[in-house]
Amino acid sequence: MPARCLVRGSINVDEFFQGLRGPVQRFTDLVIIVKEIARPGETISAENLVKRPGGKGANQAGALARAGVAVDFVGAIGQDGLWVRDELKETGVDVESMSVVEENTGRAIIQVNEIGENSIILYKGANYVSIPSHTIHPDTTHAVFQNEIPLSSTIEYLTQASSSQISTIFNPSPMPTPEELKTFPWHQLTWLVVNSGEALALCKALGLEVPDPSTSASAVDVAKPLLSRLSSGMPTTNVVCTLGADGVLAQFTLFNSKSEPVYLPAAKLQGTTRDTTGAGDCFTGYMVAGLMRLEGKEVTTADYVAVLKRAVQAAGMCVEKRGALASIPLAREVEARLN
Ligand code: ADP
């Protein structure tokens, strides 16, 4: 059965300022840490400016393509972002449905200091321009959303997908406002992917009571009750909570209302963590690619666990390398590590 994924989301030019008073390289080849982030009234000089493709929508679409599945990206750029579209196309994403609008391409302007703190200005640009609605490709089986475009557009595509029996996946990052979260059509969602901070904010916004964690609780113990509250609040949605270096927790409520949460530790790294940028997007892209491969088959919990294992492995490989889109591994590289 052919499976195809739609990603309706953001695409940015990420701009990194390099070099200030003895630059130190860290995180990516492209980011050189500045000594101090500019303060109000201060002018600092950078020795270099590097641009690369970014945006959660583009990163997740790139991860799906690298994982080897068919993916359409619907998003908008300005004339200044044609090269970003070309780079996304090179990863294997179908960019035919992208719009070129009369606004500058979205931008993330990033400074990183020596102790890893960053300061990011996100310019929404073309991501927030209203673009014509596209007919969803008839082979589409999955649709993926984040929150770097107008929520109204996300909901429009989500509703269209859900009414066409397409599996829907939402990674609400950055978090919508509590008001938006309260009115979001959660019943149309098949999979929710959040990190633990997002899980907590979501529980609070939806009025789901969460116990105060003990100070000695592990990341997994803190996340378990959040997952359980979210699952009971969203009985028709499977919930996946990523825990950074602590791995991932998932509850497949939609398939088994009494299911216990499944925990998978993070992948064993070869070497050290070099750059966690895009790890969450890599995880989501690989997870959805895995779900697409199960399409039309009779599936057990073990199959879903295997999908998550592959996604965890891919995300681990992503943090071993510098860059976001550039560090997402190919399916065969992930396979080689799993075997
Ligand atoms: P987000 O960036 O969306 O907050 P996380 O930080 O939770 O996402 O990371 C997503 C996934 O990436 C994790 O579940 C884990 O599998 C992997 N990951 C992230 N950081 C590390 C790390 N330091 N070591 C190994 N795996 C990691």
Side-chain angles (χ1 to χ4, degrees):
M1 180 170 176
R4 196 171 182 96
C5 187
L6 164 82
V7 179
R8 167 70 181 108
S10 59
I11 180 162
N12 288 336
V13 174
D14 285 356
E15 296 189 332
F16 293 85
F17 286 100
Q18 294 189 326
L20 175 79
R21 285 179 251 138
V24 183
Q25 274 205 348
R26 223 192 283 169
F27 293 137
T28 81
D29 287 329
L30 308 176
V31 181
I32 296 186
I33 294 160
V34 295
K35 272 256 191 254
E36 282 162 30
I37 287 168
R39 286 185 291 272
E42 192 181 24
T43 302
I44 58 170
S45 56
E47 287 167 6
N48 206 352
L49 166 67
V50 178
K51 302 182 185 206
R52 69 180 194 198
K56 292 186 73 67
N59 288 344
Q60 293 185 12
L64 277 146
R66 289 241 167 92
V69 294
V71 50
D72 297 302
F73 180 71
V74 177
I77 47 167
Q79 284 292 344
D80 59 334
L82 298 178
W83 65 273
V84 192
R85 183 182 61 184
D86 292 345
E87 288 205 19
L88 189 59
K89 187 176 175 184
E90 260 172 45
T91 67
V93 175
D94 190 319
V95 297
E96 288 307 306
S97 301
M98 282 185 67
S99 299
V100 181
V101 298
E102 283 190 22
E103 172 63 89
N104 287 317
T105 304
R107 268 182 169 61
I109 298 168
I110 306 164
Q111 300 173 62
V112 183
N113 72 8
E114 283 183 323
I115 55 166
E117 293 168 330
N118 59 25
S119 155
I120 302 174
I121 301 172
L122 201 59
Y123 170 66
K124 294 172 175 175
N127 290 315
Y128 267 67
V129 170
S130 160
I131 54 173
S133 295
H134 291 267
T135 312
I136 297 179
H137 191 291
D139 289 346
T140 304
T141 50
H142 292 72
V144 179
F145 308 98
Q146 317 76 31
N147 190 39
E148 289 183 343
I149 59 164
L151 195 61
S152 56
S153 184
T154 299
I155 293 173
E156 181 195 327
Y157 277 84
L158 175 70
T159 303
Q160 202 189 136
S162 155
S163 64
S164 309
Q165 316 306 319
I166 290 170
S167 293
T168 57
I169 300 94
F170 185 34
N171 172 213
S173 175
M175 275 310 258
T177 64
E179 261 336 290
E180 289 171 333
L181 291 171
K182 268 183 216 139
T183 53
F184 190 83
W186 298 106
H187 61 282
Q188 295 178 350
L189 197 60
T190 323
W191 294 85
L192 171 72
V193 182
V194 282
N195 64 24
S196 48
E198 289 156 358
L200 179 62
L202 189 50
C203 282
K204 285 186 174 161
L206 299 181
L208 303 166
E209 226 170 273
V210 283
D212 277 337
S214 84
T215 45
S216 59
S218 69
V220 180
D221 289 339
V222 171
K224 265 189 184 165
L226 302 177
L227 200 72
S228 136
R229 298 297 188 282
L230 286 175
S231 296
S232 55
M234 298 179 194
T236 57
T237 306
N238 297 310
V239 183
V240 178
C241 182
T242 64
L243 306 168
D246 289 305
V248 63
L249 261 177
Q251 195 143 0
F252 310 120
T253 324
L254 180 57
F255 309 113
N256 174 1
S257 59
K258 293 191 180 64
S259 78
E260 287 294 311
V262 173
Y263 171 67
L264 279 93
K268 281 211 170 60
L269 302 188
Q270 286 183 357
T272 54
T273 306
R274 301 184 84 178
D275 182 3
T276 57
T277 316
D281 294 334
C282 177
F283 173 86
T284 302
Y286 261 85
M287 185 192 95
V288 177
L291 296 176
M292 289 168 72
R293 294 209 170 87
L294 298 179
E295 193 63 19
K297 296 186 182 151
E298 202 146 306
V299 184
T300 63
T301 301
D303 294 314
Y304 289 114
V305 173
V307 165
L308 293 184
K309 201 169 170 207
R310 197 161 269 109
V312 160
Q313 180 61 57
M317 292 168 77
C318 181
V319 309
E320 288 171 359
K321 278 199 189 162
R322 295 171 170 155
L325 198 54
S327 65
I328 296 170
L330 289 166
R332 64 177 146 75
E333 295 167 338
V334 177
E335 229 45 54
R337 280 282 193 99
L338 283 170
N339 294 325

